[in-house]
Amino acid sequence: MRTLFLGPGEIDQAAVILRSGGLVGIPTETVYGLGANGLDRAAVERIFQAKGRPQDNPLILHIPDPSWLERYCEDIPETAWKLAKRFWPGPLTMILRRKPVVPDVVTAGLYTVGMRCPAHSMCRTMIKAAGVPVAAPSGNLSGKPSPTTARHMLDDMDGRVEAILDGGDCQVGVESTIIDLTCTPPRLLRPGGIPLEELEDVLGEVELDPAVTRPLETGERPRAPGMKYRHYAPKAPVTVVRGDPVHSAQYILEHVGDSYWEGVICFDEFAHWFEDHPVERLGSSMDCFEQARRLFRALRAMDEDSVKHIWAQCPDTAGMGLAVVNRLSKAAGFHIVEA
Ligand code: TXA
Ligand code: MG
C-alpha cells in the first residue's frame, strides 16, 4: 500500500478514505492519531494490526462537538457537561458508559468508552465531513513514543495506512488527560494535556489511579488497560534523574562517563554542560508546557543518534509536569534515581 500524504486542502479526501473503511493518520493538538471509522468493526480491527496493538486495549472515540456525546454514551453525568463546557474542544478524554451502538472492538468489550473532542480544527473538520466518530489511538507503532509530527507518523506507519493528514507539529505534545467519570470520586487514569489541578477546580476531589505514578505489581490491573504496557520507549534504556534542576544536572554530569554513546535529555539551561554527548533539550526548566511539547521528539531523536544509554532530567509533578514525569518514567520502565 502506498501511503498518501495529504495537506490542509485535502481534508475531504481524508474523510472519504475514512468513510470507506480506510485508515488515516490524523493531526490533533496532543499527538497524531491512527484513525478509522469508529462504527465500522472491520476498519477498527485494522488499527490493531497496523500498530501491533494488543486487542484488550480499548480506543478513544473522537467527535467534532460535545452534542455528539449522546449518540454514543448513556447516563451522562452533569460533571461531563461541565468538563466539556470548560475543556472541549481540547486535550481531555472522558470515560463514560457506552451505548450499544459502539462496537465491542472499540472498547475491548468494556461497558465504557473514552470520548474526546480534539482542538485541532483540521481534525474536527475532517470528522464532520466523514459524519462518523473516529476511533483513534496514538499513531505510533505499539510501545514507541507517540508521533508529534506528520513525519514521525510516516516513519512508523508508511505502507500501513491509506493516508496521513498533515496538520503541522502538535502543540501539546503529550496525549490527552483521561478522567473516568463512571466512579465516585472521578479518577484520573492518565495525566495529559489538561493539568490535574484544573480538573480539581471543576470536580473537587479527584482520585489518582496508582498506574499514574508507580509500576504495577504482578496481578494488579489498571483501569486504563493501556497503562500496563511498556510504552513510549526509545531503543536505549533510560535513567530518569529526579531532584531540583541543578542537582539532577550535576548528578548526570558525574555519572554520564565520556562515551559518545551516552545521550542526555536536559533542560536548556544545562545543555552546554554536555557538549560531548548527543543532547536533546526539553526547553526551560521552568516551562512544563514546552517540556511536554518536546518530550517525544527528544526520545525519537535519541533513537536516530543510536545511543546506548539515555540520561534524562525530570521536572516536578506540578501542573503539566505530572504528564511529563509519567511519560518519562514509563519510557524508563520506572528506572528513576534521586539526585
Ligand atoms: O491525546 C490522545 O488521547 C491521543 C489522540 C490521538 O487523541 N490518543 C491516545 O490514544 O493517546 P491511545 O489509544 O494511545 O491511549 C488511550 C488510552 C489507553 O491507555 C487505553 O487503555 C485507555 O486510553 N482507554 C481507552 N478507552 C478506555 C476505557 N473505556 N476505559 C479505560 N481506559 C480506556
Ligand atoms: Mg498510545
Side-chain angles (χ1 to χ4, degrees), residues 51-334:
K51 266 188 78 99
R53 181 176 175 108
Q55 295 277 350
D56 69 346
N57 195 358
L59 306 176
I60 296 170
L61 271 190
H62 297 71
I63 54 177
D65 81 69
S67 71
W68 283 37
L69 263 188
E70 282 171 314
R71 302 185 189 182
Y72 311 113
C73 301
E74 57 194 15
D75 299 337
I76 302 171
E78 198 46 44
T79 47
W81 298 114
K82 276 196 199 154
L83 290 175
K85 188 152 182 242
R86 171 127 169 222
F87 299 113
W88 276 4
L92 179 70
T93 297
M94 299 189 237
I95 306 295
L96 296 164
R97 291 187 80 92
R98 67 151 158 158
K99 282 187 171 165
V101 60
V102 180
D104 270 346
V105 59
V106 170
T107 67
L110 298 175
Y111 65 89
T112 58
V113 61
M115 301 296 300
R116 164 156 137 78
C117 175
H120 200 298
S121 66
M122 278 171 68
C123 181
R124 287 205 315 282
T125 303
M126 183 202 65
I127 301 172
K128 263 187 231 158
V132 291
V134 171
S138 50
N140 49 288
L141 288 171
S142 209
K144 292 235 299 179
S146 303
T148 51
T149 70
R151 173 57 53 183
H152 289 168
M153 171 116 202
L154 190 69
D155 288 344
D156 281 14
M157 290 297 157
D158 198 8
R160 294 170 182 257
V161 301
E162 273 74 13
I164 294 173
L165 181 60
D166 186 357
D169 294 359
C170 298
Q171 291 306 301
V172 176
V174 292
E175 301 85 347
S176 60
T177 301
I178 304 182
I179 183 92
D180 186 347
L181 296 178
T182 65
C183 47
T184 317
R187 188 183 268 237
L188 185 85
L189 303 188
R190 178 177 74 182
I194 301 289
L196 170 63
E197 294 86 341
E198 290 196 35
L199 291 180
E200 286 170 335
D201 225 33
V202 176
L203 297 172
E205 190 191 356
V206 173
E207 203 176 323
L208 261 189
D209 197 73
V212 171
T213 50
R214 63 167 173 80
L216 294 167
E217 280 147 36
T218 353
E220 205 178 7
R221 282 178 48 202
R223 295 272 189 110
M227 295 293 271
K228 71 173 174 267
Y229 294 107
R230 184 180 133 93
H231 218 156
Y232 315 118
K235 290 179 195 131
V238 181
T239 302
V240 171
V241 185
R242 228 161 26 192
D244 80 65
V246 173
H247 287 146
S248 59
Q250 268 163 355
Y251 183 99
I252 294 173
L253 195 62
E254 282 159 21
H255 290 79
V256 67
D258 46 19
S259 155
Y260 179 78
W261 304 111
E262 306 238 346
V264 178
I265 296 176
C266 66
F267 303 129
D268 287 2
E269 297 91 312
F270 307 99
H272 66 281
W273 292 18
F274 304 106
E275 271 166 356
D276 298 334
H277 297 270
V279 170
E280 288 299 320
R281 298 149 159 257
L282 279 186
S284 156
S285 64
M286 310 289 284
D287 187 351
C288 288
F289 286 91
E290 187 62 21
Q291 293 159 20
R293 205 170 293 137
R294 294 199 201 176
L295 179 63
F296 289 142
R297 198 187 320 172
L299 291 170
R300 278 181 182 255
M302 285 288 153
D303 276 352
E304 273 165 30
D305 285 332
S306 305
V307 299
K308 304 270 189 291
H309 190 113
I310 300 166
W311 298 86
Q313 273 191 292
C314 183
D316 68 36
T317 56
M320 280 291 280
L322 186 62
V324 176
V325 173
N326 169 266
R327 303 307 188 274
L328 262 177
S329 307
K330 298 203 82 183
F334 286 93

